[in-house]
Amino acid sequence: MTSSPNPTAAIMIIGDEILSGRTLDSNVNTIAKFLAALGIDLNEVRMVRDVETQIVSAVLALSEAYDYVFSTGGIGPTHDDITADAMAVAFGAGISEHPDALRILQERADKMGWELNTNSRRMARIPEGADLIKNPVSAAPGFQIRNVFVMAGVPKIMEGMLSDVAPRLKTGRKVLSRTLKLSYVGESWAADALRDIDKRYDDLSLGSYPFGLAQGEFGTQLVIRGQDAHSLDAAVSELKAALEPVIAEGKKRNPEARLEEITA
């Protein structure tokens, strides 16, 4: 698919627990869907350890390359939550307790009957010049520094923060998607038809994804994506027609071979 005028974005996932395999990341999927709905093109994802040099290097590179960077993880109260400090280093900013962040944390503590101890106060340390990101789930805010949005790693909390991030973003044209499911038809059988459509529609992105390779039903999902609805409709119609003989041949191998359009 040819490049679009849409804003571009990258995601940076921070945390030893992700890279060790102890914690399964779901934030990439959530942010990707969030961006797609706004017409923002997600172009890169990086995962880094809780190491200052890695965070600094990665965020500077991504911040320079893309319109927006979405960072998750490492803004909690423990010793290894170093993201705020690393962001301050990356952008040459000081870091101190933000009065509004401290007030939010104190109000939360008072409401819950907790003591706001030294560890909890770490979550009020924000790079100077950064704007807070509201946290409707657990109160402790994230922050925006330049074009970088620094959010919690806990999926529910991170997702809640996105509601405060959305109004700050420039939006683009939403990418539309259509999916054709070929049951009992191998990926290689549909490859020629897909390749022909791909050559003639340079404004679209076409992908082929096999499923069920072990036992039971198997087949291929063909996904066509693009910003122009008319072009997308035309390509889907042509691809369906081109696949008719493929399905007919597939029925000779398995009578249940079929083509259907599904909701992705």
Side-chain angles (χ1 to χ4, degrees):
M1 183 167 60
T2 54
S3 59
S4 73
N6 284 356
T8 59
I11 298 173
M12 183 168 68
I13 304 297
I14 301 172
D16 293 351
E17 71 279 5
I18 300 296
L19 289 167
S20 70
R22 187 179 68 82
T23 299
L24 179 66
D25 172 75
S26 64
N27 288 333
V28 168
N29 182 265
T30 299
I31 298 173
K33 291 178 178 177
F34 167 77
L35 296 175
L38 295 174
I40 299 173
D41 295 337
L42 175 60
N43 290 343
E44 185 173 351
V45 176
R46 295 195 191 187
M47 294 186 177
V48 299
R49 295 177 62 87
D50 293 302
V51 176
E52 182 179 287
T53 54
Q54 289 190 22
I55 297 171
V56 169
S57 176
V59 76
L60 287 177
L62 296 174
S63 176
E64 177 69 23
Y66 304 108
D67 294 312
Y68 303 118
V69 180
F70 297 83
S71 167
T72 73
I75 59 172
T78 61
H79 72 283
D80 58 344
D81 288 315
I82 64 169
T83 297
D85 294 273
M87 294 295 176
V89 170
F91 294 107
I95 187 169
S96 60
E97 285 188 346
H98 191 292
D100 288 339
L102 185 59
R103 174 184 55 78
I104 291 169
L105 292 173
Q106 186 63 63
E107 289 176 352
R108 170 74 169 181
D110 292 344
K111 180 179 179 180
M112 303 300 293
W114 298 338
E115 177 186 355
L116 190 64
N117 59 29
T118 301
N119 290 330
S120 297
R121 289 179 69 126
R122 281 177 52 83
M123 294 186 290
R125 297 175 69 255
I126 305 292
E128 294 172 5
D131 296 317
L132 298 184
I133 298 174
K134 294 178 182 177
N135 173 359
V137 178
S138 62
F143 60 88
Q144 176 187 355
I145 182 166
R146 300 193 188 181
N147 63 338
V148 180
F149 298 91
V150 181
M151 300 175 292
V154 178
K156 184 178 180 180
I157 299 175
M158 188 283 300
E159 186 172 5
M161 289 181 171
L162 290 175
S163 62
D164 191 36
V165 171
R168 312 183 194 193
L169 305 175
K170 294 180 180 179
T171 58
R173 295 179 64 189
K174 183 178 179 180
V175 176
L176 306 173
S177 178
R178 303 273 293 276
T179 301
L180 301 181
K181 179 182 178 182
L182 306 179
S183 298
Y184 300 103
V185 174
E187 186 177 29
S188 63
W189 304 342
D192 290 340
L194 194 66
R195 185 183 302 110
D196 179 60
I197 299 296
D198 186 51
K199 288 179 179 178
R200 293 188 289 106
Y201 288 88
D202 59 4
D203 61 330
L204 302 178
S205 173
L206 286 75
S208 175
Y209 309 97
F211 65 88
L213 297 180
Q215 295 179 347
E217 183 182 7
F218 72 93
T220 309
Q221 288 193 3
L222 306 180
V223 180
I224 307 178
R225 301 171 73 245
Q227 295 175 338
D228 186 279
H230 296 295
S231 180
L232 191 64
D233 288 343
V236 170
S237 294
E238 292 183 27
L239 183 56
K240 286 180 177 178
L243 289 170
E244 287 180 1
V246 175
I247 297 299
E249 184 65 26
K251 286 184 177 295
K252 296 178 182 179
R253 302 181 179 91
N254 188 319
E256 295 189 50
R258 60 189 181 276
L259 182 154
E260 58 188 320
E261 185 167 352
I262 64 173
T263 302

